[in-house]
């Protein structure tokens, strides 16, 4: 990337040598996994460009937005409502990361048996390699799993401005009230930070932008129900990952343009894999960039991933916010209604999630479910058992995988995935 960007990274306080190392690993992985795919849709060129500029042009855009007075908000969870950030003229960026970095440093501040997603976020901070994190005017954490809620106590000592949302763990009237009061508190925090008063018009605009993004992603997911699926699971995952970083309007337009192309492919019977290739539904922990190991293993073995029951997938886009309210109160209530339906494994009990996995299995014409868990992620590991039991009781093939971000177990995972796919066919 150009020298201009190096100066920008330096200004952000990045460790340039470590950052070069990270970009080299990211670039090599991308080339090996994505660019090696044959007959990718033309519309993927936009996403290739975005990935090539993920620490370049996009960061420059964020700096320009800051110069223009907009605030950059970093988040680690799909419970942080982008609608409210946009209504305050802010920019929301995802901070979850999918690669090990500076692990020695991380293990000085976090227990070894912390999930890879949390460790990775700390590694990017301690290794000084994340321009998104360093650009953020406010980092929003949330009380979800135990790992995250305790890790934020430590993160608070490492970043200048951390805000923690207290999220309900039980779906009840009190739970919904807590979510409503936390979103109200967040709205006030955004108003204070930005100096913008959020009125109904601003909030509605934010809702409409996010609804349009979710609709475009949903349109993409719907196309994957066809056999053959017109796009690989890897490419679809990449697009969802990019949705957490990119400008929402530009991203929505690019996804819709890609969907136009995919509709033609469906009509022509063209697929990312031949018709009849085993169709797999992924379910479980979110996969942040550049966590592509398991999908790559699955699709390299000849299957096609047709859906993701995950926050980086269907759970992140399911349900739109009703934008018909005329007042801020009505629109805020509609936001609460939409987010309250998120069936993350941190809820107890959480019967909606196993039901959604089964529903997706049928809707997406899947032949098997691969339940993906990060090591030391108790909520998803615990919930994998009732999910598997429910599916198995109905004769729906399921494979449970547990892994981390390292490549060490790739061979073992490959063997298990291949045996599972053979059983499906
Ligand atoms: S709404 S899934 S984005 S909390 S993998 S850090 S759960 S130990 S990420 Fe999540 Fe929000 Fe829920 Fe979605 Fe903890 Fe598990 Fe690690 Fe996880």
């Amino acid at each position: 990337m150009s020298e201009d960007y190096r100066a920008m990274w330096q200004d952000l306080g990045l460790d340039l040598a470590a950052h070069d190392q990270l970009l080299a690993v990211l670039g090599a992985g991308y080339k090996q996994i994505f660019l090696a795919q044959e007959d990718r849709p033309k519309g993927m060129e936009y996403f290739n460009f975005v990935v090539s500029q993920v620490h370049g042009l996009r960061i420059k855009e964020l700096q320009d937005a800051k110069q223009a007075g907009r605030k950059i908000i970093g988040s680690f969870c799909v419970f942080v409502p982008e609608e409210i950030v946009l209504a305050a003229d802010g920019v929301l960026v995802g901070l979850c990361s999918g690669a090990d970095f500076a692990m020695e440093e991380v293990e000085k501040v976090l227990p070894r048996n912390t999930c890879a997603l949390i460790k990775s976020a700390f590694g990017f901070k301690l290794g000084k390699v994340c321009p998104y994190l360093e650009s953020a005017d406010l980092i929003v954490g949330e009380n979800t799993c135990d790992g995250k809620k305790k890790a934020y106590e430590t993160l608070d000592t490492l970043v200048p401005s951390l805000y923690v949302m207290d999220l309900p763990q039980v779906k009840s009237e009190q739970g919904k009230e807590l979510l409503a009061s936390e979103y109200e508190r967040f709205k006030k925090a955004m108003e204070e930070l930005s100096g913008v008063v959020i009125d109904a018009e601003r909030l509605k605009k934010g809702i409409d932008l996010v609804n349009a993004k979710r609709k475009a992603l949903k349109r993409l997911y719907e196309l994957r129900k066809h056999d053959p699926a017109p796009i690989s699971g890897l490419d679809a995952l990449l697009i969802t990952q990019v949705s957490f970083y990119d400008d929402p309007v530009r991203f929505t337009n690019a996804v819709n343009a890609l969907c136009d192309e995919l509709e033609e492919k469906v009509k022509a019977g063209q697929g990312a894999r031949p018709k009849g290739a085993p169709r797999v539904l992924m379910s479980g922990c979110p996969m942040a960039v550049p966590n592509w190991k398991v999908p790559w293993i699955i699709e390299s073995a000849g299957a096609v991933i047709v859906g993701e029951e995950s926050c980086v997938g269907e759970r992140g886009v399911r349900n739109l916010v009703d934008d018909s309210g005329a007042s801020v109160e009505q629109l805020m209530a509609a936001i609460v209604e939409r987010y309250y339906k998120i069936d993350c494994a941190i809820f107890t009990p959480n019967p909606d999630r196993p039901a959604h996995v089964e529903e997706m299995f049928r809707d997406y014409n899947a032949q098997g479910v691969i339940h993906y868990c990060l090591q030391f992620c108790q909520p998803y590991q615990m919930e994998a058992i009732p999910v598997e039991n429910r599916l198995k009781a109905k004769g729906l093939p399921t494979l449970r995988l547990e892994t981390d971000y390292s490549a060490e177990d790739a061979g073992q995972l490959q063997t298990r995935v291949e045996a599972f796919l053979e059983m499906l066919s």
Side-chain angles (χ1 to χ4, degrees):
M1 289 190 198
S2 83
E3 284 308 306
D4 289 357
Y5 295 148
R6 293 190 82 75
M8 177 177 74
W9 296 329
Q10 199 152 26
D11 289 347
L12 286 170
L14 300 192
D15 176 332
L16 293 186
H19 185 244
D20 283 349
Q21 205 186 329
L22 176 77
L23 288 186
V25 172
L26 181 71
Y30 191 72
K31 200 168 160 199
Q32 187 185 11
I33 293 176
F34 289 92
L35 301 184
Q37 293 182 93
E38 284 170 15
D39 295 329
R40 286 175 95 203
K42 281 207 172 21
M44 286 310 296
E45 279 168 19
Y46 171 76
F47 298 95
N48 283 340
F49 176 73
V50 172
V51 172
S52 74
Q53 291 298 321
V54 70
H55 283 197
L57 187 59
R58 184 62 186 138
I59 300 301
K60 171 81 173 60
E61 288 177 348
L62 295 186
Q63 304 319 307
D64 291 346
K66 278 163 85 86
Q67 284 285 322
R70 299 181 72 188
K71 299 295 176 190
I72 310 300
I73 312 301
S75 95
F76 296 97
C77 180
V78 298
F79 262 106
V80 178
E82 188 174 8
E83 295 86 343
I84 296 177
V85 174
L86 290 170
D89 204 23
V91 181
L92 186 73
V93 289
L95 296 178
C96 291
S97 34
D100 289 339
F101 207 85
M103 280 301 122
E104 242 176 70
E105 292 305 303
V106 173
E107 287 177 8
K108 287 179 192 158
V109 297
L110 290 178
R112 203 155 221 262
N113 56 355
T114 303
C115 92
L117 193 143
I118 299 172
K119 279 167 125 178
S120 173
F122 272 68
F124 277 41
K125 173 67 202 168
L126 295 168
K128 299 184 188 154
V129 292
C130 182
Y132 290 91
L133 220 151
E134 304 306 336
S135 298
D137 296 292
L138 186 73
I139 293 175
V140 184
E142 32 27 77
N143 284 346
T144 46
C145 65
D146 286 352
K148 272 183 169 182
K149 69 176 73 135
K150 295 307 286 182
Y152 291 133
E153 293 173 18
T154 306
L155 189 64
D156 200 19
T157 65
L158 302 173
V159 299
S161 194
L162 178 73
Y163 174 102
V164 180
M165 230 178 230
D166 189 12
L167 293 181
Q169 316 270 296
V170 176
K171 298 268 174 93
S172 62
E173 270 316 302
Q174 293 97 310
K176 198 186 263 188
E177 277 167 26
L178 173 61
L179 189 64
S181 72
E182 281 298 291
Y183 281 0
E184 196 54 46
R185 185 169 73 92
F186 182 59
K187 176 170 128 332
K188 286 201 182 94
M190 283 305 305
E191 287 179 324
E192 263 167 40
L193 181 72
S194 62
V196 170
V197 177
I198 296 179
D199 58 18
E201 194 186 338
R202 284 181 163 278
L203 199 49
K204 190 169 154 31
K205 199 171 158 209
I207 290 171
D208 290 343
L209 278 175
V210 182
N211 276 351
K213 177 159 77 163
R214 292 199 176 114
K215 268 190 215 162
L217 281 167
K218 191 67 188 139
R219 185 179 165 205
L220 171 71
Y221 299 166
E222 287 292 315
L223 286 161
R224 299 165 73 193
K225 292 180 178 174
H226 292 275
D227 186 13
I231 186 165
S232 68
L234 276 163
D235 279 339
L237 172 66
L238 181 78
I239 293 166
T240 314
Q241 290 172 333
V242 165
S243 72
F244 290 90
Y245 305 87
D246 202 4
D247 173 78
V249 175
R250 187 175 56 205
F251 173 84
T252 302
N253 291 339
V255 175
N256 279 322
L258 172 74
C259 288
D260 292 343
E261 182 189 349
L262 296 184
E263 277 170 3
E264 294 306 313
K265 281 184 177 282
V266 168
K267 277 188 210 149
Q270 292 168 352
R273 298 283 180 281
K275 192 172 167 65
R279 299 171 64 86
V280 170
L281 175 73
M282 296 285 299
S283 169
C285 290
M287 290 183 179
V289 177
N291 177 10
W292 305 308
K293 178 174 68 175
V294 172
W296 185 44
I297 288 172
I298 295 169
E299 295 208 324
S300 302
V304 62
I305 298 168
V306 292
E308 296 81 20
E309 187 282 320
S310 155
C311 286
V312 183
E314 183 98 1
R315 194 180 313 122
V317 307
R318 184 185 292 134
N319 305 312
L320 302 178
V321 175
D322 176 4
D323 68 349
S324 63
S327 65
V328 171
E329 292 70 30
Q330 286 168 337
L331 294 168
M332 285 295 288
I335 290 174
V336 172
E337 277 304 323
R338 188 262 160 198
Y339 282 83
Y340 186 69
K341 293 186 188 127
I342 293 174
D343 56 351
C344 170
I346 56 121
F347 283 98
T348 178
N350 192 29
D352 288 354
R353 189 171 158 247
H356 274 139
V357 180
E358 186 185 335
E359 189 183 300
M360 281 187 74
F361 179 95
R362 299 190 194 285
D363 284 357
Y364 284 78
N365 301 310
Q367 291 163 283
V369 176
I370 297 192
H371 193 283
Y372 161 86
C373 255
L374 283 174
Q375 276 167 9
F376 313 119
C377 171
Q378 283 188 342
Y380 281 91
Q381 278 180 10
M382 292 257 185
E383 214 165 82
I385 297 166
V387 167
E388 185 180 49
N389 288 345
R390 178 180 177 130
L391 296 173
K392 283 199 166 159
K394 303 205 171 167
L396 312 182
T398 311
L399 174 70
R400 231 180 329 139
L401 298 180
E402 198 184 310
T403 183
D404 56 16
Y405 290 169
S406 76
E408 277 165 26
D409 61 352
Q412 197 196 14
L413 289 171
Q414 191 183 348
T415 308
R416 293 190 61 206
V417 165
E418 282 173 357
F420 181 67
L421 296 180
E422 207 171 300
M423 189 190 79
L424 295 186
S425 48

